[in-house]
Amino acid sequence: MNSSLHIHRKQLKFLVIFAVAIAAGISLSIFWGQDWSLPPPMAGGATTVINRTSRGFEQPAPNLSEAELKDHLEGDRAFEAVFVTPPAPVNSGLGPLFNNASCAGCHIRDGRGMPVKGQMLVRVSLPPGYPTTSEQQEVIFESHPEASVTLGNAPPVPGIGTQIQDQAVYGYQPEAEVEVSWQKSFGNYADGTTYELRSPVARITLPNGKPLPPQVLTSLRIPTPIFGRGLLEAIADKTILALADPEDSNKDGISGRPNMVWDITTQKVVLGRFGHKANIPNLLQQTASAYVNDMGVTNPLFPEKDGSSDIDDRTLNTATFYTQTLAVPARTMVDDPIVKQGEKLFNQANCAACHVAELRTTNYKIPALAHQTIYPYSDLLLHDMGSELADRRPDFAATGTEWRTPPLWGLGLTQTVLPYSGYLHDGRARTLAEAILWHGGEAAQSKEMFKKMSQSDRDALIRFLNSL
Ligand code: HEC
Ligand code: HEC
Ligand SMILES: [Ca+2]
Ligand SMILES: [Ca+2]
Ligand SMILES: [Ca+2]
């Protein structure tokens, strides 16, 4: 009895060891089979949604509290609200000069917009150094409706300021008319395949029928996607600054630089992160300047001269909250072998030196966005992108050839959300391949590597971008 029990125990022990070994083997094989270089599909951490439809950019972060979700939905209504000429019972205060009557009219389905009237913006300024004194600048600002956000930065153009409002309410005249035409150019991949590129030529006509004086610097921009921006705001300054390499000390040809911009709330020079040249420090200021400059809607940050404003704090804050709390769509096709190959090529071509895949958020006023591991594919820094993409219009520390690395998350949904929308700051690239082919300056090496790839490698890289 005793001995048989003993044997039985021994067998049991053996069986347990055997079972543990098998389980360990299985988990080991799972471990080895997993490609750990591939980020999981949770592009926005806990704020990620699984939605690859045309509504993919419009979802609230799924981890908001009930009260936060209520604010988000109120912000959604503010974002969609179409402003009208005063006096009116609701959404009053459009203009007198404006570009569009609503946020949603430019950021289509919370994604990008097109280089067309009503969606594109043209920023203008005089070359640095004009006019010389801030008193002269004040005089210029008196003569146009924009807020003097840029005081001490890009010198405003008399009668226009730093942004062309090409629409006006009844009784007023738009500052100018902007017409975009396209210039074509051609090139070849290393394998001989030809491609065609196009770049915009903006013809700007003043109300008197004359063109802008030739010394005026102009910069054409399309609306950026706005989802996931709270996460970008929740990244610590030091995380972004640690990615900067202004002197290119590691000699890889890439030298990201921070833009240092004016924060009107704290009245300090701080790190810029929003806009194509990272010239805006935070989402409150971005929203407030969009209201006043893009829609002519004065607000508590940019009030009328008498201190009153078209909208109150609550509207400004909920619209801002909306841009902070939109979910990031999850990646797709992460296990597709061609996508994995494309990701390898993305890293080999050093795209990831600027389009940094993984970042961490820090403490943040909205707990749902704090301490998240996210995959924006951006360093939020400025890079010299070469003369072909240059607007030649400096903006705070950004030179005329520098642009902020745009986040690539959600990129593959672009055409689903807005068919025929373009890429790059002015929407010139009709395809992702065209966007890469415009890269120059610090990214010239990456572009050359792309041009040398075989057709199937190029396709794999694009497929990877479309999986984001
Ligand atoms: C006339 C079109 C237009 C309107 C109206 C408009 N925007 Fe924009 N928005 C743009 C453009 C163009 C940019 C890029 C600006 C730049 O680079 O200078 C932008 C940038 C942004 C960004 C920065 C995103 C990033 O990644 O840097 C946010 C956030 C934003 N807009 C929110 C809003 C909100 C909120 C409203 C309404 C209060 C609004 N926008 C109204 C055209 C518009
Ligand atoms: C030196 C930094 C740098 C490198 C390297 C780089 N990029 Fe970019 N990328 C940028 C910047 C900056 C822009 C925005 C340029 C503009 O708007 O004119 C951009 C824009 C893009 C866009 C358009 C995004 C949009 O939303 O419109 C795509 C796609 C892209 N890059 C992919 C790549 C790929 C693929 C590679 C590697 C072959 C690469 N980039 C290498 C900095 C870089
Ligand atoms: Ca107004
Ligand atoms: Ca103006
Ligand atoms: Ca470097």
Side-chain angles (χ1 to χ4, degrees), residues 232-270:
L232 301 182
E233 192 171 58
I235 298 166
D237 282 7
K238 66 171 194 295
T239 304
I240 298 170
L241 295 172
L243 297 169
D245 181 18
E247 308 304 329
D248 191 16
S249 50
N250 67 347
K251 300 274 176 281
D252 64 349
I254 290 169
S255 57
R257 294 196 318 128
N259 201 352
M260 298 307 292
V261 309
W262 188 243
D263 182 332
I264 60 157
T265 314
T266 59
Q267 296 278 304
K268 278 194 183 116
V269 174
V270 300

Side-chain angles (χ1 to χ4, degrees), residues 274-356:
F274 298 104
H276 291 294
K277 281 192 188 266
N279 70 325
I280 300 270
N282 56 56
L283 291 164
L284 178 66
Q285 188 164 326
Q286 177 75 55
T287 302
S289 49
Y291 269 124
V292 73
N293 292 331
D294 305 353
M295 297 158 66
V297 172
T298 51
N299 56 73
L301 232 57
F302 298 109
E304 307 279 348
K305 278 201 189 69
D306 65 4
S308 67
S309 57
D310 293 327
I311 57 167
D312 60 10
D313 260 323
R314 172 131 198 117
T315 305
L316 175 60
N317 289 336
T318 51
T320 304
F321 190 75
Y322 181 68
T323 68
Q324 287 165 332
T325 49
L326 283 161
V328 180
R331 278 190 65 187
T332 180
M333 307 189 290
V334 278
D335 292 325
D336 177 316
I338 299 172
V339 167
K340 288 186 182 185
Q341 167 69 3
E343 186 183 36
K344 220 189 266 166
L345 293 162
F346 184 81
N347 291 322
Q348 278 167 8
N350 216 15
C351 311
C354 303
H355 297 285
V356 174

